[in-house]
Amino acid sequence: MQDKQHEAMLFMTVTEDGWPHNAMVSVGEVVALDKENLRIALWPGTTTAKNCIRTKKATLVSVYKGKVFYVRLALSPLGVLADAKHPLERFAAKVIFYKEDTAKYAEITSGIHIDLKDPESVLDRWKETIRETLR
């Protein structure tokens, strides 16, 4: 996780009035179980979490090795763990479609990169969040 702490992804949902809603998620909030199944942890009460609970759909956008990946997800809410150190809305996510995108005229060199203000505490929280997300 240390080597991926600067990576973030777009997580897109749809609002009640039909508008796209974009949020960023980190490697501390998305866990790939295999090629078709992920776990997602989101802050409760946020527009993103509410949209996911309501529609049970989202799109995850990630940049990796010169490609942009658009991943449509079918979500199953798992709820907030009662004894969680970091109470987050958890979701099981099933990949229902994905698309790889490249640019013929340019090299895609990065996606969203972040610099953590307090890396030690954030990385500890992410590790705990991942453990709780997998429960």
Side-chain angles (χ1 to χ4, degrees):
M1 182 168 305
Q2 179 81 20
D3 59 327
K4 295 181 181 180
Q5 68 177 296
H6 303 289
E7 297 178 28
M9 298 160 272
L10 285 177
F11 194 75
M12 302 185 299
T13 58
V14 176
T15 62
E16 284 189 78
D17 56 355
W19 286 95
H21 178 76
N22 299 309
M24 286 190 293
V25 291
S26 67
V27 297
E29 298 158 319
V30 178
V31 181
L33 303 176
D34 55 43
K35 287 183 173 186
E36 297 178 356
N37 297 284
L38 295 87
R39 290 285 180 92
I40 311 288
L42 302 171
W43 293 106
T46 62
T47 300
T48 302
K50 290 176 186 176
N51 290 343
C52 289
I53 291 167
R54 189 185 77 258
T55 66
K56 297 180 178 52
K57 296 178 183 177
T59 298
L60 183 67
V61 181
S62 178
V63 176
Y64 182 70
K65 292 188 176 182
K67 295 180 181 179
V68 180
F69 296 88
Y70 304 92
V71 185
R72 286 187 192 162
L73 302 170
L75 304 173
S76 298
L78 299 172
V80 178
L81 287 174
D83 62 344
K85 184 171 182 179
H86 308 286
L88 299 172
E89 288 286 351
R90 299 171 308 128
F91 298 87
K94 176 85 172 164
V95 175
I96 58 168
F97 173 82
Y98 87 97
K99 175 184 171 185
E100 294 178 21
D101 197 7
T102 59
K104 293 180 182 180
Y105 58 89
E107 183 177 344
I108 300 167
T109 59
S110 70
I112 298 171
H113 280 242
I114 58 176
D115 287 322
L116 302 175
K117 294 179 180 177
D118 183 2
E120 186 176 335
S121 68
V122 173
L123 291 172
D124 286 344
R125 178 172 48 85
W126 284 356
K127 289 174 189 171
E128 292 162 349
T129 296
I130 288 171
R131 280 193 297 273
E132 292 174 347
T133 302
L134 294 173
R135 288 182 34 199

